[in-house]
Amino acid sequence: MVVLAGCVARPEPLAGPEYEEHWREVLVQTIPRNGYVERNGEYVGVAPIAVRVRTTESGRPVRPQRITATDTASGAYVWKLLVPGEQVPERMLMDIRPFLSVQPGISFGP
């Protein structure tokens, strides 16, 4: 058995305003209320919630960010992809209603 041990020097972080980390928060709201919210497949919380997105200094995503909202009762979901060329919005209303399955109703007729 051969064991190699060593020390790897970590490079110093780049300096300057173009390399600073910037973040924007998007207030995500869902219809119906209390939808589960994910960012890039990772659970963030229950809406309404502020979702942090890493951005450039001008407020554009550094890499694509997929925001998903899921209705907890039915499992229906909608998503929005924030791409590097667009501005990160302050608010996002995600309407899940069109994707909910139609519930059978009771009808009273002759």
Side-chain angles (χ1 to χ4, degrees):
M1 176 190 295
V2 175
V3 176
L4 299 175
C7 181
V8 176
R10 294 184 126 188
E12 289 294 319
L14 299 173
E18 65 274 13
Y19 296 106
E20 293 177 10
E21 285 192 18
H22 298 278
W23 296 87
R24 292 271 170 106
E25 287 189 347
V26 180
L27 176 62
V28 177
Q29 298 172 302
T30 62
I31 300 174
R33 295 185 60 138
N34 302 323
Y36 282 7
V37 178
E38 297 178 349
R39 181 187 59 228
N40 296 331
E42 293 185 25
Y43 176 75
V44 178
V46 176
I49 189 168
V51 177
R52 290 185 64 190
V53 176
R54 186 170 177 211
T55 66
T56 62
E57 186 175 6
S58 62
R60 289 169 171 72
V62 172
R63 64 182 62 86
Q65 300 286 307
R66 181 177 166 151
I67 309 294
T68 306
T70 304
D71 177 62
T72 55
S74 69
Y77 65 93
V78 294
W79 57 271
K80 166 80 171 134
L81 186 64
L82 302 175
V83 293
E86 69 182 26
Q87 192 76 16
V88 173
E90 291 181 19
R91 295 180 180 187
M92 189 181 299
L93 179 61
M94 304 186 83
D95 190 350
I96 306 169
R97 290 177 299 179
F99 303 99
L100 297 175
S101 58
V102 177
Q103 301 296 321
I106 300 173
S107 61
F108 297 95

